[in-house]
Amino acid sequence: MTKIPINTNISPRVGGQIAAVQRRTLAVLSVAQITSGVGVAVGFAFSSLVVARLSGSVSISGLAGTASVLGAALLALPTARAAGRSGRRTGLALAYGCALLGCLITVVAITVRSWPLMLAGLVLFGGASAGSLASRYSATDLSPPGHSARHLSWVVWASTIGSVAGPNLAEPADRLGRSLGLAPDTGPFALSLLAFAIALAVIVIGLRPDPLLLARSIVPASAPATTTPAPRARGTLRTAWQALRRAPAAVRALVAIAVSHTAMVSVMSMTPVHLDHGGSPNWVIGIVLSLHIAGMYVLSPLIGWLADRIGRVPVLRLGMGLLLAAAVLAGTAGPHGVTQVSTGLALLGAGWSCGLIAGSAMLSEAVPLEHRPAVQGLSDLLMNVCGATGAVAAGVIVGALSYGVLGTVVAVMVTITGAWLTLKRT
């Protein structure tokens, strides 16, 4: 196919065709996000409880969430590698296919009462999270200049529907599963399996033409880097590191994403424990977490527009400021300070959204098109590893010291990052 500049010298007819493909791409990705979001939320809400029932140990039940996060991290690079070689459709299909297989293994594990097998299934279940993260990058391949953040943000916003609806479907799914003759506790994961199957079908059927392959076919002929072949499978990680060394802005974006996610997971994971120590009932803790999720997703289109309007770095600094305010508010609140903690958790979600959206857009724009999947995969890998590490470290800090000390540690971390972003301006 003849090389046509993607941003310059495009005829109105070709530009209109690209815009139409991008609108279709955003719609397909959003539908897949909604359906997969239901599957993730249902499984995540129910997994630790089921592992506790199968193992008879509360301590082992904590491995359920760890297994899913580990799976998302392990599958980030294979998803990126597949996208780099064969397009976004192949990468996302791999991620959701692994999640579907993970649900099937989980259903079998519950049926035979094997918690180790269930943990293995939950590792593959993490593929849904890997696919969800990769979807946001898929939204930027055909974005016109100055629109990548808002396009990315709409796909992130679509996660809200599944994240809110999913946990409320777990109990009805369990009852329906029992009525259909399934083993107890398998219904929610059967629902997740169905949700991932729909997401997989939507991607395979609907993501045509593939946005990444189309973008590669219309890059400027004058840009020699765009003619470089996609990295070989075993070179994905090495290619990502090499690309980052040549793109300081991408390094800043990657650090901002990792720090935002670490701060969010650290505080969020220990807030229910903090409130429980104050005697807050489960429904109050649920409301606090719902406000946090709302902060993460509801404002994402506004944050995307703002990042396109005033720039990526200013929004990243805003995000660090919100995370600092969240750490101070939540960290200085006593176990009975539900209102103060709720405000802090809402700000925590908004700060995370700023970091994810502005950072992801900045990362995508800072590296050549042919290296983007590799760098994006590395970003998602580090993001999940940092999140898991942050959750473990937060538990140790709160257990040995206090929730307030955790808030102080997070406040220092985001303050240093915000100052670094200010000094290292793009």
Side-chain angles (χ1 to χ4, degrees):
M1 184 173 180
T2 304
K3 299 289 185 182
I4 305 172
I6 191 169
N7 294 328
T8 60
N9 300 325
I10 294 180
S11 69
R13 182 179 65 83
V14 174
Q17 291 173 345
I18 295 173
V21 172
Q22 176 66 348
R23 287 193 295 271
R24 175 182 173 87
T25 298
L26 293 177
V28 169
L29 292 173
S30 296
V31 172
Q33 283 285 80
I34 293 171
T35 54
S36 66
V38 170
V40 170
V42 170
F44 191 80
F46 214 59
S47 60
S48 59
L49 177 60
V50 177
V51 170
R53 289 172 178 171
L54 295 179
S55 65
S57 169
V58 175
S59 298
I60 292 177
S61 70
L63 296 176
T66 303
S68 297
V69 173
L70 176 63
L74 292 176
L75 288 167
L77 286 183
T79 298
R81 183 183 302 136
R85 290 173 63 90
S86 305
R88 298 291 189 186
R89 184 170 62 251
T90 302
L92 294 176
L94 172 64
Y96 290 130
C98 288
L100 195 156
L101 178 60
C103 285
L104 182 60
I105 293 174
T106 300
V107 169
V108 173
I110 297 173
T111 303
V112 301
R113 311 292 296 175
S114 172
W115 65 264
L117 182 60
M118 181 173 177
L119 291 179
L122 289 174
V123 171
L124 288 174
F125 182 93
S129 296
S132 177
L133 290 172
S135 291
R136 78 189 194 279
Y137 287 125
S138 305
T140 67
D141 293 327
L142 294 173
S143 295
H147 288 74
S148 59
R150 69 190 77 179
H151 285 184
L152 183 153
S153 70
W154 279 109
V155 175
V156 173
W157 181 86
S159 303
T160 309
I161 301 174
S163 299
V164 173
N168 297 312
L169 298 175
E171 187 174 346
D174 186 40
R175 291 199 302 266
L176 178 60
R178 292 170 191 252
S179 68
L180 295 176
L182 297 178
D185 295 336
T186 59
F189 296 97
L191 175 61
S192 293
L193 189 153
L194 176 62
F196 296 149
I198 294 174
L200 177 61
V202 168
I203 291 297
V204 171
I205 296 172
L207 205 60
R208 298 175 184 271
D210 188 282
L212 180 60
L213 297 183
L214 179 58
R216 284 175 174 171
S217 73
I218 56 178
V219 292
S222 60
T226 59
T227 61
T228 302
R232 289 182 295 179
R234 61 185 178 183
T236 301
L237 186 57
R238 181 180 178 183
T239 298
W241 284 119
Q242 290 175 342
L244 285 172
R245 285 204 300 267
R246 296 190 295 268
V251 174
R252 290 194 286 277
L254 189 150
V255 171
I257 293 171
V259 169
S260 299
H261 195 62
T262 304
M264 185 275 290
V265 173
S266 300
V267 177
M268 180 272 293
S269 63
M270 296 311 300
T271 296
V273 176
H274 181 63
L275 293 177
D276 182 67
H277 288 166
S280 296
N282 288 339
W283 67 269
V284 171
I285 297 175
I287 290 176
V288 173
L289 294 180
S290 294
L291 290 172
H292 170 64
I293 293 173
M296 291 174 65
Y297 296 115
V298 171
L299 296 177
S300 54
L302 175 61
I303 292 170
W305 174 84
L306 195 62
D308 284 336
R309 184 79 173 181
I310 68 174
R312 287 36 170 150
V313 175
V315 173
L316 289 177
R317 292 200 296 262
L318 171 63
M320 295 302 152
L322 291 173
L323 291 171
L324 173 60
V328 171
L329 276 174
T332 58
H336 302 284
V338 175
T339 301
Q340 187 173 336
V341 171
S342 299
T343 304
L345 266 287
L347 292 176
L348 185 74
W352 174 87
S353 187
C354 288
L356 183 77
I357 292 171
S360 298
M362 184 174 172
L363 183 75
S364 297
E365 295 166 347
V367 295
L369 182 63
E370 73 273 11
H371 297 322
R372 284 180 191 171
V375 174
Q376 291 162 349
L378 174 62
S379 172
D380 288 345
L381 169 63
L382 293 178
M383 177 179 172
N384 281 294
V385 170
C386 288
T389 303
V392 173
V396 172
I397 291 172
V398 173
L401 299 169
S402 69
Y403 184 74
V405 172
L406 173 62
T408 301
V409 171
V410 170
V412 171
M413 178 177 65
V414 299
T415 299
I416 292 174
T417 305
W420 178 68
L421 288 171
T422 300
L423 294 174
K424 298 284 186 178
R425 293 183 179 180
T426 302

